[in-house]
Amino acid sequence: MSAQVAVPSTKGQLKGWHALLWFAGFFGFMFVVNGIFLWTAITTFPGEDTEKSYAVGLDYNREIMRRAHQAEAGWGAEIGLTGSVPQLHIRLTQANGDALPVSGTRLQLRHPANRALDRVVELTPVGGGEYTASLETLPLGTWSVQFSADVDPAADGDEFKASREIIIP
């Protein structure tokens, strides 16, 4: 009888360089995925939601007083869409329901996801505290309407502000 000695097979054994490749591949994949996430985050979010946010924060007490004055005076705005071609209508009222006389208006439409789509829209006075604007060139979707009006021309800034979310179907 002859004695046979079993020789260990090296087939299928995990060696050091195999572990190194698995380790490098795993972390390489993580770096690529994180790089894609980082690039997407930087290119799609501008960082600030409001222009000059630091100055707005410093002026916050004045904004609180303006809101209190607007609520105390009973000023209100009705903002809505009408027609098959989107038409924005705004009606400004005083506490007694009469039209609120203003010397100037400003309307900004803001897209919730893309600041490049934001635009200032020209309002046409209809009379009786009502204003209208055509939105036919506006892309479909949700928009934030930010309206401001100058009630007292002698005072600095806009004393009346109103906002509303609209959906262009």
Side-chain angles (χ1 to χ4, degrees), residues 101-142:
V102 297
S103 61
T105 61
R106 192 173 29 232
L107 178 71
Q108 182 180 22
L109 294 171
R110 297 188 67 194
H111 192 272
N114 188 352
R115 288 185 67 186
L117 295 176
D118 293 357
R119 59 184 70 179
V120 175
V121 177
E122 190 69 32
L123 287 170
T124 305
V126 177
E130 293 189 28
Y131 299 86
T132 186
S134 176
L135 304 179
E136 62 186 307
T137 61
L138 201 63
L140 305 179
T142 303

Short mmCIF file of all heavy atoms in Angstrom, two decimals, residues 101-142:
data_model
loop_
_atom_site.label_atom_id
_atom_site.label_comp_id
_atom_site.label_asym_id
_atom_site.label_seq_id
_atom_site.Cartn_x
_atom_site.Cartn_y
_atom_site.Cartn_z
N PRO A 101 -57.60 101.39 -1.32
CA PRO A 101 -56.87 102.21 -2.29
C PRO A 101 -55.36 102.06 -2.07
O PRO A 101 -54.86 102.17 -0.96
CB PRO A 101 -57.34 103.63 -1.98
CG PRO A 101 -57.78 103.59 -0.56
CD PRO A 101 -58.24 102.19 -0.29
N VAL A 102 -54.64 101.80 -3.16
CA VAL A 102 -53.19 101.66 -3.10
C VAL A 102 -52.56 102.50 -4.20
O VAL A 102 -53.19 102.79 -5.21
CB VAL A 102 -52.75 100.18 -3.24
CG1 VAL A 102 -53.28 99.35 -2.08
CG2 VAL A 102 -53.18 99.58 -4.55
N SER A 103 -51.30 102.87 -3.99
CA SER A 103 -50.62 103.69 -5.00
C SER A 103 -49.71 102.87 -5.90
O SER A 103 -49.31 103.34 -6.95
CB SER A 103 -49.82 104.80 -4.32
OG SER A 103 -48.85 104.24 -3.48
N GLY A 104 -49.37 101.67 -5.51
CA GLY A 104 -48.52 100.83 -6.35
C GLY A 104 -48.63 99.38 -5.92
O GLY A 104 -48.84 99.08 -4.75
N THR A 105 -48.49 98.48 -6.89
CA THR A 105 -48.57 97.05 -6.60
C THR A 105 -47.37 96.34 -7.20
O THR A 105 -46.76 96.82 -8.16
CB THR A 105 -49.85 96.43 -7.17
OG1 THR A 105 -49.86 96.59 -8.58
CG2 THR A 105 -51.09 97.05 -6.57
N ARG A 106 -47.08 95.18 -6.63
CA ARG A 106 -46.01 94.33 -7.14
C ARG A 106 -46.43 92.89 -6.95
O ARG A 106 -46.93 92.50 -5.89
CB ARG A 106 -44.71 94.63 -6.40
CG ARG A 106 -43.51 94.04 -7.03
CD ARG A 106 -42.21 94.48 -6.39
NE ARG A 106 -42.35 94.80 -4.99
CZ ARG A 106 -41.93 95.94 -4.44
NH1 ARG A 106 -41.37 96.85 -5.16
NH2 ARG A 106 -42.07 96.15 -3.16
N LEU A 107 -46.25 92.07 -7.98
CA LEU A 107 -46.63 90.66 -7.93
C LEU A 107 -45.47 89.81 -8.40
O LEU A 107 -44.92 90.02 -9.47
CB LEU A 107 -47.85 90.39 -8.82
CG LEU A 107 -48.31 88.94 -8.87
CD1 LEU A 107 -48.96 88.55 -7.54
CD2 LEU A 107 -49.28 88.73 -10.01
N GLN A 108 -45.09 88.86 -7.56
CA GLN A 108 -44.04 87.92 -7.93
C GLN A 108 -44.60 86.51 -7.85
O GLN A 108 -45.26 86.14 -6.89
CB GLN A 108 -42.83 88.05 -7.01
CG GLN A 108 -41.70 87.13 -7.41
CD GLN A 108 -40.49 87.24 -6.50
OE1 GLN A 108 -40.59 87.67 -5.35
NE2 GLN A 108 -39.35 86.83 -7.01
N LEU A 109 -44.33 85.72 -8.89
CA LEU A 109 -44.70 84.32 -8.91
C LEU A 109 -43.43 83.51 -8.72
O LEU A 109 -42.46 83.68 -9.45
CB LEU A 109 -45.36 83.94 -10.24
CG LEU A 109 -46.70 84.62 -10.49
CD1 LEU A 109 -47.16 84.37 -11.90
CD2 LEU A 109 -47.73 84.13 -9.51
N ARG A 110 -43.45 82.64 -7.69
CA ARG A 110 -42.26 81.86 -7.36
C ARG A 110 -42.55 80.38 -7.55
O ARG A 110 -43.56 79.88 -7.09
CB ARG A 110 -41.83 82.12 -5.92
CG ARG A 110 -41.42 83.58 -5.73
CD ARG A 110 -40.82 83.83 -4.39
NE ARG A 110 -39.55 83.12 -4.30
CZ ARG A 110 -38.92 82.93 -3.16
NH1 ARG A 110 -39.42 83.36 -2.03
NH2 ARG A 110 -37.77 82.29 -3.13
N HIS A 111 -41.63 79.71 -8.23
CA HIS A 111 -41.73 78.26 -8.42
C HIS A 111 -41.11 77.60 -7.20
O HIS A 111 -40.06 78.03 -6.72
CB HIS A 111 -40.99 77.85 -9.69
CG HIS A 111 -41.27 76.46 -10.10
ND1 HIS A 111 -40.53 75.40 -9.63
CD2 HIS A 111 -42.21 75.94 -10.92
CE1 HIS A 111 -41.00 74.29 -10.16
NE2 HIS A 111 -42.02 74.58 -10.94
N PRO A 112 -41.74 76.55 -6.65
CA PRO A 112 -41.24 75.97 -5.41
C PRO A 112 -39.91 75.23 -5.54
O PRO A 112 -39.20 75.09 -4.55
CB PRO A 112 -42.35 75.02 -4.98
CG PRO A 112 -43.10 74.71 -6.22
CD PRO A 112 -42.98 75.91 -7.10
N ALA A 113 -39.56 74.79 -6.74
CA ALA A 113 -38.35 73.99 -6.88
C ALA A 113 -37.26 74.63 -7.72
O ALA A 113 -36.10 74.24 -7.60
CB ALA A 113 -38.70 72.63 -7.50
N ASN A 114 -37.59 75.63 -8.53
CA ASN A 114 -36.61 76.17 -9.44
C ASN A 114 -36.69 77.70 -9.46
O ASN A 114 -37.61 78.26 -10.05
CB ASN A 114 -36.82 75.61 -10.85
CG ASN A 114 -35.73 75.97 -11.81
OD1 ASN A 114 -34.85 76.77 -11.51
ND2 ASN A 114 -35.77 75.37 -12.98
N ARG A 115 -35.72 78.36 -8.84
CA ARG A 115 -35.75 79.83 -8.79
C ARG A 115 -35.55 80.46 -10.14
O ARG A 115 -35.89 81.63 -10.35
CB ARG A 115 -34.68 80.33 -7.82
CG ARG A 115 -35.05 80.05 -6.38
CD ARG A 115 -34.07 80.64 -5.44
NE ARG A 115 -34.14 82.09 -5.49
CZ ARG A 115 -33.30 82.88 -4.84
NH1 ARG A 115 -32.35 82.37 -4.11
NH2 ARG A 115 -33.40 84.18 -4.92
N ALA A 116 -35.02 79.72 -11.11
CA ALA A 116 -34.84 80.27 -12.45
C ALA A 116 -36.18 80.53 -13.13
O ALA A 116 -36.27 81.34 -14.05
CB ALA A 116 -34.01 79.31 -13.30
N LEU A 117 -37.25 79.87 -12.68
CA LEU A 117 -38.58 80.07 -13.25
C LEU A 117 -39.34 81.23 -12.60
O LEU A 117 -40.39 81.63 -13.09
CB LEU A 117 -39.41 78.79 -13.12
CG LEU A 117 -38.91 77.58 -13.92
CD1 LEU A 117 -39.78 76.36 -13.61
CD2 LEU A 117 -38.89 77.88 -15.40
N ASP A 118 -38.83 81.77 -11.48
CA ASP A 118 -39.50 82.88 -10.80
C ASP A 118 -39.64 84.07 -11.74
O ASP A 118 -38.75 84.32 -12.57
CB ASP A 118 -38.73 83.31 -9.55
CG ASP A 118 -38.72 82.26 -8.48
OD1 ASP A 118 -39.37 81.21 -8.66
OD2 ASP A 118 -38.07 82.49 -7.45
N ARG A 119 -40.74 84.80 -11.60
CA ARG A 119 -40.92 85.97 -12.46
C ARG A 119 -41.79 87.01 -11.78
O ARG A 119 -42.63 86.69 -10.94
CB ARG A 119 -41.50 85.58 -13.80
CG ARG A 119 -42.84 84.88 -13.72
CD ARG A 119 -43.33 84.43 -15.06
NE ARG A 119 -42.48 83.33 -15.49
CZ ARG A 119 -42.63 82.69 -16.62
NH1 ARG A 119 -43.58 83.02 -17.43
NH2 ARG A 119 -41.85 81.70 -16.95
N VAL A 120 -41.58 88.24 -12.18
CA VAL A 120 -42.41 89.36 -11.74
C VAL A 120 -43.45 89.58 -12.83
O VAL A 120 -43.14 89.63 -14.01
CB VAL A 120 -41.55 90.63 -11.53
CG1 VAL A 120 -42.44 91.82 -11.20
CG2 VAL A 120 -40.53 90.40 -10.44
N VAL A 121 -44.72 89.67 -12.41
CA VAL A 121 -45.83 89.79 -13.36
C VAL A 121 -46.45 91.17 -13.22
O VAL A 121 -46.64 91.67 -12.11
CB VAL A 121 -46.88 88.69 -13.08
CG1 VAL A 121 -48.08 88.84 -13.99
CG2 VAL A 121 -46.26 87.32 -13.24
N GLU A 122 -46.79 91.75 -14.34
CA GLU A 122 -47.43 93.07 -14.37
C GLU A 122 -48.93 92.91 -14.13
O GLU A 122 -49.60 92.11 -14.79
CB GLU A 122 -47.19 93.72 -15.73
CG GLU A 122 -47.59 95.16 -15.79
CD GLU A 122 -46.70 96.07 -14.96
OE1 GLU A 122 -45.50 95.77 -14.82
OE2 GLU A 122 -47.22 97.08 -14.44
N LEU A 123 -49.45 93.66 -13.17
CA LEU A 123 -50.89 93.63 -12.86
C LEU A 123 -51.60 94.76 -13.60
O LEU A 123 -51.09 95.87 -13.73
CB LEU A 123 -51.11 93.80 -11.36
CG LEU A 123 -50.77 92.59 -10.49
CD1 LEU A 123 -50.80 92.98 -9.03
CD2 LEU A 123 -51.73 91.46 -10.76
N THR A 124 -52.80 94.44 -14.06
CA THR A 124 -53.64 95.44 -14.72
C THR A 124 -54.78 95.80 -13.78
O THR A 124 -55.55 94.93 -13.38
CB THR A 124 -54.23 94.88 -16.03
OG1 THR A 124 -53.16 94.41 -16.85
CG2 THR A 124 -55.04 95.92 -16.76
N PRO A 125 -54.91 97.10 -13.39
CA PRO A 125 -56.03 97.48 -12.52
C PRO A 125 -57.35 97.41 -13.29
O PRO A 125 -57.47 97.91 -14.39
CB PRO A 125 -55.71 98.92 -12.11
CG PRO A 125 -54.53 99.35 -12.89
CD PRO A 125 -54.02 98.20 -13.67
N VAL A 126 -58.34 96.78 -12.65
CA VAL A 126 -59.67 96.65 -13.25
C VAL A 126 -60.59 97.71 -12.67
O VAL A 126 -61.53 98.17 -13.33
CB VAL A 126 -60.24 95.23 -13.00
CG1 VAL A 126 -61.64 95.10 -13.56
CG2 VAL A 126 -59.32 94.19 -13.60
N GLY A 127 -60.34 98.13 -11.45
CA GLY A 127 -61.17 99.10 -10.75
C GLY A 127 -61.82 98.47 -9.54
O GLY A 127 -61.99 97.25 -9.47
N GLY A 128 -62.15 99.28 -8.58
CA GLY A 128 -62.78 98.79 -7.36
C GLY A 128 -61.86 97.92 -6.53
O GLY A 128 -62.31 96.99 -5.86
N GLY A 129 -60.55 98.19 -6.57
CA GLY A 129 -59.60 97.42 -5.79
C GLY A 129 -59.27 96.07 -6.39
O GLY A 129 -58.68 95.23 -5.73
N GLU A 130 -59.63 95.87 -7.67
CA GLU A 130 -59.37 94.58 -8.33
C GLU A 130 -58.26 94.74 -9.36
O GLU A 130 -58.15 95.76 -10.04
CB GLU A 130 -60.63 94.05 -8.99
CG GLU A 130 -61.69 93.67 -7.98
CD GLU A 130 -62.85 92.93 -8.63
OE1 GLU A 130 -62.64 92.27 -9.66
OE2 GLU A 130 -63.95 93.03 -8.08
N TYR A 131 -57.45 93.69 -9.46
CA TYR A 131 -56.34 93.64 -10.39
C TYR A 131 -56.34 92.28 -11.07
O TYR A 131 -56.81 91.29 -10.52
CB TYR A 131 -55.00 93.84 -9.66
CG TYR A 131 -54.91 95.16 -8.97
CD1 TYR A 131 -55.41 95.34 -7.69
CD2 TYR A 131 -54.35 96.26 -9.60
CE1 TYR A 131 -55.36 96.56 -7.06
CE2 TYR A 131 -54.29 97.50 -8.98
CZ TYR A 131 -54.79 97.64 -7.71
OH TYR A 131 -54.73 98.85 -7.08
N THR A 132 -55.82 92.24 -12.29
CA THR A 132 -55.78 90.99 -13.04
C THR A 132 -54.45 90.86 -13.77
O THR A 132 -53.79 91.87 -14.06
CB THR A 132 -56.96 90.91 -14.04
OG1 THR A 132 -56.96 89.63 -14.64
CG2 THR A 132 -56.89 91.98 -15.08
N ALA A 133 -54.07 89.62 -14.06
CA ALA A 133 -52.85 89.34 -14.82
C ALA A 133 -53.05 88.04 -15.58
O ALA A 133 -53.63 87.09 -15.06
CB ALA A 133 -51.65 89.23 -13.89
N SER A 134 -52.58 87.99 -16.81
CA SER A 134 -52.67 86.79 -17.62
C SER A 134 -51.47 85.89 -17.31
O SER A 134 -50.33 86.35 -17.25
CB SER A 134 -52.67 87.14 -19.10
OG SER A 134 -52.67 85.96 -19.87
N LEU A 135 -51.75 84.60 -17.11
CA LEU A 135 -50.70 83.64 -16.79
C LEU A 135 -50.58 82.57 -17.86
O LEU A 135 -50.13 81.46 -17.60
CB LEU A 135 -50.99 82.98 -15.43
CG LEU A 135 -51.17 83.91 -14.24
CD1 LEU A 135 -51.46 83.10 -13.00
CD2 LEU A 135 -49.96 84.78 -14.05
N GLU A 136 -50.95 82.90 -19.11
CA GLU A 136 -50.98 81.90 -20.17
C GLU A 136 -49.59 81.38 -20.52
O GLU A 136 -49.45 80.24 -20.98
CB GLU A 136 -51.68 82.43 -21.40
CG GLU A 136 -51.02 83.64 -22.03
CD GLU A 136 -51.85 84.20 -23.17
OE1 GLU A 136 -52.21 83.42 -24.06
OE2 GLU A 136 -52.13 85.40 -23.14
N THR A 137 -48.53 82.15 -20.31
CA THR A 137 -47.18 81.68 -20.63
C THR A 137 -46.51 80.97 -19.46
O THR A 137 -45.39 80.49 -19.60
CB THR A 137 -46.29 82.87 -21.05
OG1 THR A 137 -46.21 83.79 -19.97
CG2 THR A 137 -46.86 83.57 -22.28
N LEU A 138 -47.21 80.88 -18.36
CA LEU A 138 -46.64 80.26 -17.17
C LEU A 138 -46.68 78.74 -17.29
O LEU A 138 -47.71 78.17 -17.66
CB LEU A 138 -47.45 80.70 -15.94
CG LEU A 138 -46.81 80.59 -14.58
CD1 LEU A 138 -45.60 81.50 -14.49
CD2 LEU A 138 -47.79 80.96 -13.50
N PRO A 139 -45.57 78.05 -16.99
CA PRO A 139 -45.59 76.57 -17.02
C PRO A 139 -46.59 76.03 -16.00
O PRO A 139 -46.86 76.64 -14.97
CB PRO A 139 -44.16 76.18 -16.63
CG PRO A 139 -43.33 77.38 -16.93
CD PRO A 139 -44.23 78.56 -16.71
N LEU A 140 -47.13 74.86 -16.30
CA LEU A 140 -48.11 74.22 -15.42
C LEU A 140 -47.46 73.82 -14.11
O LEU A 140 -46.26 73.58 -14.04
CB LEU A 140 -48.70 72.99 -16.10
CG LEU A 140 -49.33 73.21 -17.47
CD1 LEU A 140 -49.84 71.90 -18.03
CD2 LEU A 140 -50.43 74.23 -17.41
N GLY A 141 -48.27 73.74 -13.05
CA GLY A 141 -47.77 73.29 -11.76
C GLY A 141 -48.16 74.22 -10.63
O GLY A 141 -49.02 75.09 -10.77
N THR A 142 -47.52 74.03 -9.50
CA THR A 142 -47.78 74.81 -8.30
C THR A 142 -46.90 76.05 -8.28
O THR A 142 -45.70 75.97 -8.57
CB THR A 142 -47.52 73.97 -7.04
OG1 THR A 142 -48.33 72.79 -7.10
CG2 THR A 142 -47.84 74.75 -5.78
#
